[in-house]
Amino acid sequence: MGFIGMLNPLERGFGLVPTSGRVASGIESTAFAREAGVVENVVRAGYGGERSTNGLINRVGATASDIDALLSKATLTDERAATGAGRAPLSFEDKLVVQGDASRAKIVQSIGDMVQPSLEKILELDPHARVGFRGSLVDGLKNETKLGPNGERVAFDGTVTTKNGKPYTDPQGYDADFFIISDDLAAQFSKRAFFKDVTKLDKTLKSTFQEFGDAMQANPLLQGMKRERPSFRIYSTEELSKKSGSQYYFLTDEKR
Amino acid sequence: MSEYLINDIIAEVEIFSTKPLIAVAQRLEELIDGINFTPEQTGRFEEVPAFIATDIQSGMEFVLLGIPEGEVSDAYIFEFSIETELPILEFKRIAPAFINRLIVEKNVNSRGYLDYSDELAAALSANGVVASRALP
């Protein structure tokens, strides 16, 4: 599987990223992936825009030149590189993202392992569907509407004090916005349905997703995750192409 | 608990968006006794604005989904759902009166649900809320 249409710019962190050209995996090759031992997976998964034959996921959104720029920043987390000259200082947001990279890599790896039964069931509905997730766990930061006590951006697993300027009282924690790209499945919903939940197409998916959610909740690595049954939202190719932020894509066991 | 012992009741209709979402939510509260809609703020539906309500007695969940900012549409989506171990006619007795009247015995559809979309659309339309089954 290759290029996912016209890709969207990453907002922050690994960010930058114009939408043209070939895709690449991104900054994970150092701070994010190296510490978690998934460097090869992530780099192979993304660089050049081709789906990995043994990787976990495919991060899309960057051109090769972007990756060079990103790696330049990323290596600041490496002590040897940090002493070098000529590196651009990391912004506050970039530091937040980089500091969370190791734990994010482990979380993503765990989710990639636990999602397999759900993935298989979804692919029974459409073997050509692409499944992944987006959101703060991918970007490393919560969205700009959720801020910390001093009005600062918050890491994906940070504590939110305000949302849209008002005190935040909902449960803390992060989640993953799972999605399915499938024109065939999207076509089975009304065009007026903006949130297309795949369980409406097959009731049995509910129990599969519940088991997936239970497995995630039982995993100590994911203790900061919100406790809810995961839902998989269907997008047509066109719909997802309009979304900002980046995405991770799951690979099935047989392709990992 | 075996999956096939659970009745999975669902309905999904479109309501024309001639009024603001909150006004439609208020009208639905009037029709469906005992429910109170609140804005969904946990991000469950991501950028899609929504009101949710749960009927305490039956456990039924009601969701009214709006139109995301920047999108164009002429309808909202209104749905209810419940997973229950009760036989359908027993469940009918504890459902809100508005829902009670539209529940009949029927077979599950090809997706495994007892689908009351047509019945809900008809009941809403009969009460002045023009609605139709959500179709592709």
Side-chain angles (χ1 to χ4, degrees), chain A residues 154-209:
Chain A
V154 178
F156 78 101
D157 56 351
T159 300
V160 177
T161 305
T162 62
K163 180 180 179 183
N164 291 320
K166 298 175 182 172
Y168 182 81
T169 56
D170 289 326
Q172 298 285 344
Y174 59 87
D175 57 10
D177 297 331
F178 297 101
F179 66 82
I180 300 165
I181 306 175
S182 167
D183 290 337
D184 288 346
L185 299 183
Q188 296 182 45
F189 286 81
S190 163
K191 287 184 169 53
R192 296 171 172 116
F194 291 100
F195 194 94
K196 297 184 265 291
D197 184 338
V198 71
T199 61
K200 289 184 178 167
L201 300 182
D202 180 0
K203 165 188 167 174
T204 66
L205 287 170
K206 286 186 177 181
S207 56
T208 306
F209 294 168

Side-chain angles (χ1 to χ4, degrees), chain B residues 43-115:
Chain B
R44 172 178 165 191
F45 301 109
E46 301 179 25
E47 85 286 6
V48 184
F51 284 89
I52 59 169
T54 302
D55 175 56
I56 295 172
Q57 185 172 346
S58 66
M60 295 185 78
E61 181 183 67
F62 299 83
V63 179
L64 178 63
L65 292 152
I67 303 167
E69 196 175 321
E71 299 284 358
V72 177
S73 178
D74 59 359
Y76 305 131
I77 298 288
F78 176 54
E79 58 190 44
F80 68 67
S81 61
I82 176 74
E83 294 173 27
T84 178
E85 297 174 61
L86 295 175
I88 191 66
L89 293 181
E90 280 187 40
F91 175 76
K92 177 182 169 82
R93 285 204 292 267
I94 62 169
F98 185 84
I99 303 300
N100 170 293
R101 289 192 287 272
L102 58 86
I103 288 183
V104 293
E105 279 195 290
K106 60 166 58 182
N107 294 324
V108 297
N109 65 14
S110 60
R111 297 170 176 175
Y113 291 98
L114 292 165
D115 186 340

Side-chain angles (χ1 to χ4, degrees), chain A residues 116-135:
Chain A
Q116 290 301 316
S118 297
L119 190 53
E120 288 171 16
K121 289 275 287 184
I122 291 167
L123 294 178
E124 287 175 12
L125 294 178
D126 178 5
H128 304 295
R130 289 168 291 174
V131 184
F133 64 97
R134 47 196 293 274

